Amino acid sequence: MKVAIVAESFFPEMNGVTHSLLKVLQHLDARGDQVLVIAPSTLENAPPTMEGATVRRLPAVPLAGYRNIRVAMGGVLRVKTLLAEFNPDVVHLASPFVLGWRAVRAAAALDIPSVAVYQTDVPGYAARYGMPFLENWAWQRVKRIHVAATKTLVPSSDSLQKLQGHGIPRLELWRRGVDTDRFHPDKRSPGFRDTVAPQGQKIIGYVGRLALEKQVEDLAVLAGIPDTRLVIVGDGPQRETLEALLPDAYFTGFLGGEELAAAMATFDLFVHPGELETFCQTIQEAMASGVPVVATGRGGPVDLVDSSRTGWLYAPGNLAQLRDYAMDLIGDDAKRAAFAAAAFQQVQGRSWQVVCEQLMNLYTQAIEEHPRIPAGARGSR
């Protein structure tokens, strides 16, 4: 198969989209498929190939206030030229919005089937960043992209219902895998525990970008829980603000690879307050590490956390409930151990191999269905 992947962000910018794309590229490489990645240029010297795929970069400018996020410039013609030269069987649109809007039109003009993967709640971000006047416009853009695509893949039941509510057709559920070898209870690290909780406190941990949409500031409600230490893993534009707001927390900065696996497995409890998560991969990684979860009862976490068995889901905005649930598990070792064991078992069998094979089948379906979908139903060319 020849697959063109068009990504709004890509390596070396690491986020949920990049992480899942690298897993997909590894799978395609192992199958012997030919792959082209089209992505924005980066501030760093990025490699021209990645996991067997050729990477073509388009000129890009940094997003205001978030220097590491780059927005590709230019029009449809450049993307259309790259796609025409490669002549793929299918175009994979990763979290499409700016570059993805150009790519879906280019694919339609070339009569190439496209699979749009909904991963980022851009309209919700607009409201969260104090620009609610852009929310309707953003939804119009999202709808136009996904109506134009041959097939849209969503990561959770919440996303499925949300896109159905906006009249977007041809939706399929496609979740994310988790590396249960890398994220495992055996990775617990006494050294990490001694560093971040030298007085033997229980560790309440968060992993993710330190950005406004993650609502990390809500974790201030956990201050003062006896014999605990809040540990924040990650980096981002809000780090300085959060360090001032959470003076007793330990900030590790960005961790990757085995360092992240060790940190995750050493947590006693994982917390995630973000309400705009379409999936929330770090929850699966915590569960695979044998760590129970307290998360907001909105978005992707609703599908991942079995409340009262693998963790707790608190009502969005109810920070007193967040604190109560954290205290419930931190204060009861036997209950926390039972939740941890259930969390570990729940994610077994969710390997990236299984998830990527499902994606290959969805590619094939899109190729087979594409000629039967009238051009008008795929949106404007």
Side-chain angles (χ1 to χ4, degrees):
M1 192 182 296
K2 294 181 73 174
V3 181
I5 295 177
V6 182
E8 298 288 338
S9 64
F10 190 60
F11 186 87
E13 174 62 25
M14 291 303 298
N15 51 42
V17 175
T18 302
H19 176 76
S20 62
L21 281 180
L22 292 177
K23 293 297 184 181
V24 170
L25 289 178
Q26 290 168 7
H27 189 81
L28 291 168
D29 187 36
R31 281 168 39 103
D33 296 317
Q34 290 179 262
V35 185
L36 169 69
V37 176
I38 301 173
S41 64
T42 66
L43 295 172
E44 305 173 38
N45 289 326
T49 61
M50 178 66 62
E51 304 292 354
T54 298
V55 183
R56 300 293 296 272
R57 300 282 182 172
L58 298 180
V61 296
L63 186 67
Y66 213 149
R67 186 169 176 266
N68 287 336
I69 293 184
R70 311 271 293 174
V71 179
M73 306 299 289
V76 175
L77 182 60
R78 178 58 177 155
V79 180
K80 184 179 175 183
T81 300
L82 291 172
L83 291 179
E85 289 173 353
F86 184 63
N87 191 28
D89 297 304
V90 65
V91 177
H92 175 135
L93 307 169
S95 196
F97 193 73
V98 177
L99 180 55
W101 171 230
R102 299 201 288 274
V104 78
R105 287 183 288 162
L110 295 167
D111 204 31
I112 302 170
S114 57
V115 173
V117 182
Y118 177 78
Q119 280 182 265
T120 306
D121 183 3
V122 176
Y125 281 23
R128 182 70 185 165
Y129 276 82
M131 297 179 288
F133 54 91
L134 290 179
E135 189 171 3
N136 287 338
W137 171 82
W139 268 119
Q140 290 172 9
R141 167 61 63 85
V142 168
K143 182 174 180 178
R144 292 176 73 184
I145 290 170
H146 291 281
V147 167
T150 310
K151 191 180 286 291
T152 287
L153 311 185
V154 295
S156 63
S157 57
D158 178 80
S159 297
L160 182 68
Q161 293 165 9
K162 190 175 293 184
L163 268 60
Q164 284 175 333
H166 283 273
I168 295 172
R170 303 182 297 280
L171 300 171
E172 299 277 356
L173 196 62
W174 181 60
R175 303 189 189 278
R176 303 292 176 270
V178 61
D179 187 340
T180 52
D181 291 325
R182 178 183 169 202
F183 293 97
H184 192 277
D186 290 348
K187 299 296 180 72
R188 287 175 188 145
S189 167
F192 181 80
R193 181 174 291 276
D194 289 344
T195 297
V196 304
Q199 297 174 4
Q201 308 101 311
K202 292 185 173 67
I203 300 172
I204 302 175
Y206 164 86
V207 175
R209 287 196 313 278
L210 305 186
L212 196 61
E213 71 273 9
K214 300 296 184 180
Q215 297 174 239
V216 185
E217 68 275 8
D218 289 354
L219 299 183
V221 75
L222 302 178
I225 296 178
D227 301 318
T228 64
R229 185 76 187 274
L230 179 62
V231 175
I232 308 292
V233 177
D235 211 340
Q238 284 243 292
R239 179 167 177 175
E240 188 175 333
T241 299
L242 290 168
E243 285 178 333
L245 182 66
L246 306 168
D248 296 325
Y250 188 101
F251 287 76
T252 69
F254 176 82
L255 296 180
E258 289 302 309
E259 283 186 314
L260 176 59
M264 191 75 89
T266 309
F267 293 163
D268 295 291
L269 178 67
F270 182 81
V271 289
H272 201 293
E275 297 177 19
L276 297 178
E277 297 298 308
T278 60
F279 186 73
C280 201
Q281 178 67 4
T282 53
I283 285 180
Q284 282 203 139
E285 293 168 351
M287 293 169 71
S289 303
V291 180
V293 176
V294 176
T296 184
R298 176 174 290 163
V302 174
D303 287 356
L304 298 176
V305 180
D306 186 353
S307 201
S308 83
R309 196 177 76 86
T310 64
W312 290 111
L313 294 171
Y314 65 92
N318 190 338
L319 300 187
Q321 193 176 47
L322 163 59
R323 182 183 173 91
D324 288 345
Y325 281 153
M327 292 180 67
D328 173 66
L329 289 174
I330 284 294
D332 189 331
D333 291 348
K335 187 175 190 177
R336 191 174 66 256
F339 276 42
F344 175 79
Q345 287 300 325
Q346 185 168 305
V347 298
Q348 302 308 302
R350 297 185 188 176
S351 71
W352 276 105
Q353 173 72 22
V354 170
V355 169
C356 287
E357 278 302 318
Q358 183 190 10
L359 179 62
M360 300 305 105
N361 291 333
L362 291 166
Y363 283 167
T364 300
Q365 289 176 27
I367 292 166
E368 292 172 348
E369 294 169 10
H370 179 76
R372 301 198 300 272
I373 299 171
R378 295 198 297 267
S380 170
R381 291 179 178 234

